[in-house]
Amino acid sequence: MKGEGPALRVAALVKRYGKFQALGGVDLELAPGEAFGLVGANGAGKTTLIKCILDLTAADAGTIEIFAVPARKPRARRRLSYLPERFTPPHYLRAREFLALMFELAGARYNASHVMGILEALELDRGVLGQPVRTLSKGMTQKLGLAGCFAVPRELYVLDEPMSGLDPAARVAVKSLLRRLAAEGRTLFFTSHVLADVDELCSSIAVLERGRVRFRGTPAGLCERYAEPNLERAFLRCIRDEHAAARP
């Protein structure tokens, strides 16, 4: 909640895979209630950073705290929910069973009315609940993943490419739901290659390039720095400047 310190603090984070340095001293801090977008090209280190935050992979140096709790401790994740970039639910479950499992894992009682409200907000037909998840389309599977992520209310949502596979109507529905969560004071941390979505939803962003934070501020601030009319062009200027600076 607001006033208790950062929702997320990352300090001097380093992650290597053999000789390759995926993250090179990342510093990042999110305030409670912040709608934050992490942007970067493929291979910039976005998913690696998220995996370190969630303790899915061990960092080589640096510290991470989630609501002031060290991220290596399991209790640090009690107040967050996560949707991976490639969401694949257990193929042998029906959609309703998958959602019930999310409640069970969270230690909560299944709330049918809340689930129906989430499905309606995502424009996912309730008839899907009786279907095996292996029969769902890519877009419907992604909506199910989002429904599972939002089924049990949390203070921090970590979403890796949440719009992946969604058609235009579904994207509008998801953005509307994310705006509602932000208005409730939930903290949003998400990645997206669609910078128009980031510009529309995020109060702050960071540009990650070659494992380092190259910009931290508002979308408007990045546009202002490079005197560009939109976030997409400002982002390209930012990473191209970094590439030019890295040349011998």
Side-chain angles (χ1 to χ4, degrees):
M1 296 189 178
K2 293 183 179 181
E4 66 171 333
L8 173 68
R9 178 183 283 130
V10 178
L13 193 71
V14 175
K15 174 62 183 177
R16 300 183 187 90
Y17 295 101
K19 295 182 179 180
F20 174 70
Q21 183 169 270
L23 299 173
V26 171
D27 294 302
L28 190 63
E29 190 170 297
L30 269 65
E34 190 170 346
F36 169 79
L38 181 67
V39 299
N42 289 332
K46 302 185 300 298
T47 297
T48 297
L49 175 57
I50 288 176
K51 287 181 176 180
C52 288
I53 290 170
L54 299 173
D55 198 33
L56 297 175
T57 189
D60 293 294
T63 60
I64 304 171
E65 293 181 351
I66 303 170
F67 294 107
V69 179
R72 299 304 305 272
K73 296 185 176 182
R75 65 187 178 91
R77 293 176 289 283
R78 289 177 184 169
R79 296 164 69 178
L80 68 80
S81 190
Y82 166 58
L83 180 71
E85 180 181 12
R86 295 181 179 87
F87 167 69
T88 306
H91 68 91
Y92 50 84
L93 294 179
R94 295 182 182 274
R96 180 183 288 104
E97 293 171 331
F98 167 74
L99 293 175
L101 179 62
M102 295 301 98
F103 278 90
E104 183 177 347
L105 291 174
R109 179 174 296 181
Y110 185 80
N111 186 332
S113 63
H114 181 68
V115 167
M116 292 305 174
I118 293 294
L119 295 183
E120 182 177 352
L122 293 171
E123 298 186 356
L124 184 60
D125 190 284
R126 64 180 60 190
V128 166
L129 292 175
Q131 295 184 34
V133 298
R134 63 181 177 274
T135 66
L136 302 181
S137 68
K138 164 66 175 172
M140 292 171 69
T141 300
Q142 186 70 5
K143 286 184 181 181
L144 179 64
L146 288 162
C149 186
F150 301 137
V152 181
R154 288 290 185 257
E155 294 169 59
L156 170 62
Y157 294 98
V158 179
L159 311 170
D160 198 355
E161 295 289 345
M163 308 291 184
S164 177
L166 299 181
D167 62 31
R171 293 168 62 85
V172 170
V174 171
K175 286 191 285 187
S176 178
L177 179 55
L178 291 176
R179 278 192 292 268
R180 190 181 84 192
L181 292 169
E184 292 173 358
R186 314 287 179 180
T187 307
L188 305 179
F189 178 123
F190 74 92
T191 71
S192 179
H193 288 298
V194 183
L195 297 187
D197 291 342
V198 174
D199 197 11
E200 183 178 348
L201 292 168
C202 295
S203 56
S204 71
I205 64 170
V207 176
L208 193 67
E209 176 62 15
R210 298 185 179 185
R212 295 180 182 274
V213 175
R214 307 300 183 177
F215 174 84
R216 178 73 169 101
T218 65
L222 184 61
C223 293
E224 183 178 348
R225 172 182 288 191
Y226 293 99
E228 292 290 357
N230 59 61
L231 187 60
E232 193 170 74
R233 291 179 62 172
F235 166 74
L236 289 174
R237 285 280 304 279
C238 181
I239 63 172
R240 284 171 180 168
D241 280 3
E242 293 300 333
H243 289 175
R247 294 192 190 109

